[in-house]
Amino acid sequence: MKRDIYQQDHHDFRSMVRSFTAKHIAPHVERWDDDGLIDRITWTSAGATGLLGIGVPTEYGGGGNPDFRYRMILMEEFTRVGANSFNAATSVQDDLVIPYLVDLGSDEQKSRWLPSLCDGTAVGALGLTEPSAGSDLRGIRTIATRRGEEWVLNGSKIFITNGFGADLVIVLAKTTDAMSLFLVPTDTPGFRRGSKLDKLGLRGSDTAELFFDDLTLPADSLLGTVGRGFVHVMERLPRERMSIAATATAAAQAAYDRTREHCFVRKAFGQAIGDFQATRFTLAEIATDVDVAVSFLDRTALLLNAGELSAVDAAKAKYWLSELNSRIVDRCLQLHGGYGYMREYQIARDYADARVLPIYGGTNEIMKEIIGRDIAADS
């Protein structure tokens, strides 16, 4: 199916990204998974090439173009070479951390952090989830107490992508009877990291538990408005969920492309397994599912660009596309037979990497609750 969402500028950008990916990313993907960490030089190379902070205003070192389609191209090219971990890490940087700063930061905060986040010399993380508060952020226990002109932070966060290597963490904490957001440089005394968490998938993307022990922050570390941290997070969740939806669609396309190629190379009973009717039927079903997913994603991406994407539409995209990706990758692995169960084959890593998409950014059960409440409100 012809895809008409992209224009010539997007095609030119894709060519540049594909060249960069072939040189700086594809050769290192398996090693990153083994090491549980992405080389910092890859971050700076991506920044120098203009792949980070595309939507950040140029006066802060970004590309000045908030068109989400450029982010989609990056996801498509990264997943095409199996760089799912690098995609996850840069998605946190570009679709979570940077938008918080662009939207809520003071001129001083933007000037301090955005240039280094855009050039890759700083890595950012978003600290929301806690051991006792996952999808239910109202249950967080991390506390920020005002002490004169300073804030004192105590608590912990868990499952924080980029947490082990981050230079900056945006932290959600309780302040009196509400919540607020804070910019926490990781070289601040009182900041402590746990070990890298041992995950099922996305193993090259470092994930950690973070601790704040009487961590003292200046007053200007507050991000946005005091007491409105929860609201600030809710307002930005549609962007995060669209990032997950776009990743899921790109990963499904990549898995299908890899599997289609495998089916016409791998032989059994004297012919390519793609020449068996059962295999062709399965490929036909997957190809159709991918086309439907792409159409759905493209429509919601244009709504996001226009500032018209609702929280409900974002929840629908995140829920449906992440679930579809899981089903597609499962079927693709089956078509690889025993080879699909070997981690040396990318499809095995795709399978493990896909499992988290229905979980993070709000579980899909929460997505259904959001959608269901909207249905009930209109009834």
Side-chain angles (χ1 to χ4, degrees), residues 210-252:
L210 308 178
F211 302 93
F212 319 106
D213 306 316
D214 289 328
L215 186 151
T216 300
L217 295 168
D220 62 5
S221 295
L222 178 74
L223 181 65
T225 303
V226 67
R228 289 187 60 81
F230 185 79
V231 175
H232 291 327
V233 171
M234 292 300 105
E235 290 171 343
R236 276 144 201 87
L237 281 175
R239 169 68 181 241
E240 177 181 358
R241 288 165 181 165
M242 272 301 296
S243 178
I244 296 169
T247 289
T249 307

Side-chain angles (χ1 to χ4, degrees), residues 63 104 148 172 219 225 262 321 351:
L104 303 172
L172 180 68
T225 303
H262 172 82
L321 291 169
Y351 184 85

Side-chain angles (χ1 to χ4, degrees), residues 10-90:
H10 299 109
H11 296 309
D12 294 342
F13 180 73
R14 184 187 299 279
S15 296
M16 183 265 287
V17 174
R18 185 164 294 188
S19 296
F20 176 88
T21 300
K23 180 177 180 181
H24 296 282
I25 296 179
H28 309 296
V29 167
E30 292 186 34
R31 178 172 57 80
W32 290 342
D33 279 357
D34 291 339
D35 294 345
L37 197 65
I38 295 163
D39 301 329
R40 286 302 288 258
I41 192 172
T42 307
W43 282 94
T44 55
S45 296
T49 309
L51 305 189
L52 301 175
I54 296 170
V56 173
T58 55
E59 60 264 35
Y60 297 113
N65 193 336
D67 183 349
F68 188 67
R69 289 173 290 185
Y70 290 101
R71 288 286 303 125
M72 289 165 57
I73 289 169
L74 286 167
M75 296 175 194
E76 290 161 10
E77 292 304 310
F78 293 162
T79 57
R80 187 179 63 83
V81 298
N84 302 328
S85 292
F86 189 68
N87 179 63
T90 52

Side-chain angles (χ1 to χ4, degrees), residues 48-354:
T49 309
L51 305 189
L52 301 175
I54 296 170
V56 173
T58 55
E59 60 264 35
Y60 297 113
N65 193 336
D67 183 349
F68 188 67
R69 289 173 290 185
Y70 290 101
R71 288 286 303 125
M72 289 165 57
I73 289 169
L74 286 167
M75 296 175 194
E76 290 161 10
E77 292 304 310
F78 293 162
T79 57
R80 187 179 63 83
V81 298
N84 302 328
S85 292
F86 189 68
N87 179 63
T90 52
S91 291
V92 167
Q93 183 103 331
D94 253 289
D95 298 325
L96 280 71
V97 174
I98 284 177
Y100 274 83
L101 273 162
V102 170
D103 295 345
L104 303 172
S106 65
D107 288 341
E108 182 179 352
Q109 289 170 334
K110 293 176 183 178
S111 297
R112 178 181 179 187
W113 287 109
L114 285 176
S116 56
L117 290 168
C118 291
D119 67 19
T121 56
V123 172
L126 182 64
L128 303 181
T129 303
E130 298 186 5
S132 60
S135 295
D136 180 14
L137 290 178
R138 295 185 188 276
I140 67 168
R141 297 180 180 177
T142 296
I143 296 175
T145 305
R146 191 69 183 257
R147 184 183 298 169
E149 294 300 312
E150 298 175 327
W151 293 93
V152 180
L153 195 63
N154 281 282
S156 67
K157 300 292 179 179
I158 198 169
F159 306 141
I160 306 305
T161 303
N162 295 348
F164 193 79
D167 303 286
L168 172 71
V169 183
I170 297 176
V171 176
L172 180 68
K174 287 188 173 180
T175 50
T176 61
D177 59 348
M179 300 182 196
S180 302
L181 291 169
F182 296 89
L183 296 175
V184 180
T186 57
D187 59 359
T188 306
F191 178 87
R192 183 164 51 92
R193 312 176 205 258
S195 59
K196 282 182 291 185
L197 298 177
D198 189 13
K199 299 177 298 183
L200 170 67
L202 297 179
R203 297 183 62 84
S205 169
D206 64 285
T207 303
E209 189 170 10
L210 308 178
F211 302 93
F212 319 106
D213 306 316
D214 289 328
L215 186 151
T216 300
L217 295 168
D220 62 5
S221 295
L222 178 74
L223 181 65
T225 303
V226 67
R228 289 187 60 81
F230 185 79
V231 175
H232 291 327
V233 171
M234 292 300 105
E235 290 171 343
R236 276 144 201 87
L237 281 175
R239 169 68 181 241
E240 177 181 358
R241 288 165 181 165
M242 272 301 296
S243 178
I244 296 169
T247 289
T249 307
Q253 179 73 65
Y256 166 69
D257 290 342
R258 276 190 274 278
T259 302
R260 180 185 59 194
E261 180 180 0
H262 172 82
C263 287
F264 290 98
V265 172
R266 173 70 174 162
K267 295 186 181 299
F269 302 102
Q271 62 182 351
I273 62 173
D275 289 331
F276 290 102
Q277 186 182 65
T279 303
R280 291 201 305 271
F281 279 11
T282 300
L283 289 174
E285 292 165 0
I286 296 171
T288 304
D289 283 345
V290 170
D291 281 354
V292 173
V294 167
S295 295
F296 184 15
L297 175 69
D298 288 354
R299 181 178 68 84
T300 51
L302 292 178
L303 288 173
L304 178 65
N305 274 353
E308 299 173 359
L309 182 70
S310 70
V312 173
D313 285 337
K316 289 177 179 177
K318 190 270 182 184
Y319 145 63
W320 192 78
L321 291 169
S322 64
E323 294 281 356
L324 182 69
N325 175 55
S326 294
R327 294 196 300 271
I328 286 174
V329 172
D330 180 76
R331 301 189 79 185
C332 288
L333 187 149
Q334 184 72 20
L335 288 175
H336 280 74
Y339 293 100
Y341 203 64
M342 302 296 111
R343 287 194 69 248
E344 66 183 275
Y345 278 72
Q346 180 60 44
I347 195 66
R349 298 192 292 273
D350 290 339
Y351 184 85
D353 294 343

